[in-house]
């Protein structure tokens, strides 16, 4: 017989405006008595990022957890004609992607979305061939706090995870109530993960069981940048060198004046910016002849892209959107055996200097790029390769999984633990 679970970790988040919205603690049942449940629990993920967008933290984590757990990856709704409906696919083994489709007139807010789609999701869990019988008593895992008041606890299950990979309230176009919704999640989560140390310090003030897991890296994948048989893509191989390169999302976190200054200082070099545009107007980007905007790249092609870079760039602006970031690309560049130059992002300064050359002004940034190009420091590059080799996503995910088991099924002491 199931017993009532232990209370979620203590929190000083307080009662939010959503304290009574669609949440029933009696649905959080303890399924931990059978060993199989503790080891093979299904997971329902609520994520603001698209599975087929840039391959980053959620994809790295759940492509690994899917080896032992069934994963339902629920994305934010997209606008589509017709009646509200669900698009269900299996983009990765044991990962089912669910994209709600909603007509524009019904797209009011996250709570209305949940009111519309929860019954459809509940029916799909019972009837759809990709889901039926596979998601009984799932763990719920939130990346965005926005859908939490409408969904948290409604699928039953043993507990709640909040993985705070960014301070979303600081991003451009953030919903005005996102901070209230995060307090709601923090007050009910059994365990909280953060993607940066600055985030760890901030969230530890509001929750008793917070763990810092910064960037991991797929070492085997990115080490292909050092392999003789890896072919640099034509879009980069044909460019005049040196090549100063970046891959990642092109958004409000980048310093476009700095990128333009670098291109102007080295007119015979090529500045490669590879990644999808988000929340910016591409027409407003610098259009120097030697800046090449390549658009989104396939994850499997990134090591070959890095091989074509003489210097890897992290030209982040210093603003509210970058205050808490811990860029995934740092270790990926390092695993590729390349020199890296960054602006002074707090987590970069704390975690990876002097392997990454940190510049505190545009002049210093340009000078650091030139030094890294003309006289790459082979000792720092070797240290970067070694550091990346010890920071695998496999080890990170295994440790996160243990934290979940301890928080949900075991009488583990509550603590804030900087474990990475």
């Amino acid at each position: 017989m199931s017993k009532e679970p232990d209370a979620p970790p203590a929190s000083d988040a307080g009662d939010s405006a959503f304290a009574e919205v669609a949440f029933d603690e009696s649905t959080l049942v303890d399924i931990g008595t059978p060993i199989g449940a503790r080891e093979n629990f299904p997971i329902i993920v609520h994520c603001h990022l698209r599975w087929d967008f840039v391959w980053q933290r959620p994809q790295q984590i759940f492509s690994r957890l899917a080896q032992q757990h069934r994963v339902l990856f629920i994305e934010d709704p997209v606008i589509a004609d017709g009646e509200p409906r669900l698009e269900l696919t299996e983009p990765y083994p044991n990962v089912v992607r669910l994209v709600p489709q909603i007509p524009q007139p019904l797209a009011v807010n996250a709570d209305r979305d949940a009111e519309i789609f929860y019954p459809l999701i509940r029916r799909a869990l019972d009837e759809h061939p990709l889901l039926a019988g596979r998601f009984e008593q799932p763990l719920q895992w939130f990346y965005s706090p926005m859908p939490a008041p409408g969904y948290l606890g409604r699928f039953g299950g043993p507990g709640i995870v909040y993985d705070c990979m960014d301070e979303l309230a600081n991003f451009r176009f953030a919903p005005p109530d996102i901070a209230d919704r995060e307090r709601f999640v923090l007050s009910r989560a059994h365990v909280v993960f953060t993607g940066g140390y600055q985030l760890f310090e901030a969230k530890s003030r509001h929750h008793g069981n917070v763990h810092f897991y910064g960037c991991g890296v797929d070492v085997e994948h990115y080490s292909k940048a050092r392999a003789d048989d890896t072919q640099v893509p034509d879009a980069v191989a044909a460019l005049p060198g040196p090549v100063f390169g970046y891959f990642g999302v092109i958004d409000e976190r980048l310093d476009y004046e700095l990128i333009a200054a670098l291109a102007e200082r080295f007119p015979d070099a090529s500045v490669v910016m590879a990644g999808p545009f988000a929340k910016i107007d591409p027409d407003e980007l610098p259009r120097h002849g030697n800046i090449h905007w390549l658009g989104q790249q396939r994850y499997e092609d990134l090591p070959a892209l890095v091989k074509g870079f003489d210097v890897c760039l992290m030209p982040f602006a210093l603003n509210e959107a970058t205050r808490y970031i811990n860029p995934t690309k740092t270790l990926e560049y390092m695993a590729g055996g390349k020199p890296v130059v960054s602006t002074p992002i707090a987590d970069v300064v704390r975690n990876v200097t002097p392997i990454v050359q940190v510049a505190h002004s545009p002049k210093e940034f340009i000078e650091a790029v030139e030094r890294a190009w003309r006289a790459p420091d082979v000792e720092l590059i070797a240290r970067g390769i070694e550091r990346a080799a010890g920071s695998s996503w496999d080890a990170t995910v295994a440790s996160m999984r243990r934290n979940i088991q301890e928080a949900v099924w075991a009488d583990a002491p509550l603590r804030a633990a900087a474990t990475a």
Side-chain angles (χ1 to χ4, degrees), residues 41-47 51 55-74 92-96 139-143 161 163 165 193 393 397 400 404:
F41 51 90
I43 304 171
I44 292 182
V45 187
H46 304 267
C47 191
W51 183 268
W55 190 271
Q56 51 190 306
R57 184 183 180 94
Q59 291 90 339
Q60 296 284 10
I61 290 172
F62 288 103
S63 62
R64 287 164 173 79
L65 284 176
Q67 297 172 25
Q68 295 168 286
H69 304 275
R70 300 174 298 285
V71 176
L72 174 58
F73 193 88
I74 301 178
Y92 193 90
N94 226 22
V95 176
V96 178
L139 183 88
Q140 274 187 280
W141 185 308
F142 289 88
Y143 277 101
V161 175
D163 188 4
M165 61 181 287
F193 302 129
W393 276 116
V397 171
M400 294 172 91
I404 293 169

Side-chain angles (χ1 to χ4, degrees), residues 280-337:
I280 59 166
D281 183 353
D283 293 335
E284 296 180 359
L285 300 176
R287 292 295 174 180
H288 299 61
N290 61 335
I291 301 179
H292 305 273
W293 305 95
L294 300 188
Q296 184 166 352
Q297 306 294 301
R298 299 187 309 164
Y299 179 71
E300 52 264 40
D301 295 335
L302 294 181
L305 193 71
V306 170
K307 184 175 183 178
F309 296 167
D310 293 284
V311 181
C312 291
L313 306 177
M314 297 203 298
F316 290 106
L318 301 182
N319 57 32
E320 284 301 303
T322 61
R323 181 180 175 188
Y324 294 103
I325 65 171
N326 187 342
T328 306
K329 63 185 57 55
T330 311
L331 288 168
E332 295 168 346
Y333 287 161
M334 288 159 57

Side-chain angles (χ1 to χ4, degrees), residues 41-178:
F41 51 90
I43 304 171
I44 292 182
V45 187
H46 304 267
C47 191
H48 59 292
L49 299 173
R50 305 291 174 192
W51 183 268
D52 61 355
F53 193 53
V54 174
W55 190 271
Q56 51 190 306
R57 184 183 180 94
Q59 291 90 339
Q60 296 284 10
I61 290 172
F62 288 103
S63 62
R64 287 164 173 79
L65 284 176
Q67 297 172 25
Q68 295 168 286
H69 304 275
R70 300 174 298 285
V71 176
L72 174 58
F73 193 88
I74 301 178
E75 299 179 5
D76 288 345
V78 298
I79 302 300
D81 293 333
E83 294 297 313
R85 62 191 185 279
L86 308 177
E87 179 184 274
L88 286 152
T89 58
E90 190 170 9
Y92 193 90
N94 226 22
V95 176
V96 178
R97 180 190 184 194
L98 188 157
V99 185
Q101 317 276 309
I102 190 169
Q104 182 68 64
L106 296 181
V108 177
N109 56 43
D111 295 330
R112 176 60 174 152
D113 290 343
E115 182 181 337
I116 292 170
F117 288 110
Y118 172 72
L120 300 183
I121 295 171
R122 184 73 269 172
R123 187 179 308 123
L125 288 169
D126 292 336
E127 300 175 359
H128 195 281
L130 289 176
L131 303 178
R134 302 182 67 215
F135 288 89
E136 297 297 324
Q137 302 298 337
L139 183 88
Q140 274 187 280
W141 185 308
F142 289 88
Y143 277 101
S144 169
M146 292 306 294
Y151 287 108
L152 193 150
R154 298 190 73 180
F155 299 103
I160 307 298
V161 175
Y162 177 40
D163 188 4
C164 182
M165 61 181 287
D166 287 304
E167 190 65 271
L168 297 178
N170 291 347
F171 280 29
R172 184 177 294 180
F173 310 131
D177 60 346
I178 192 170

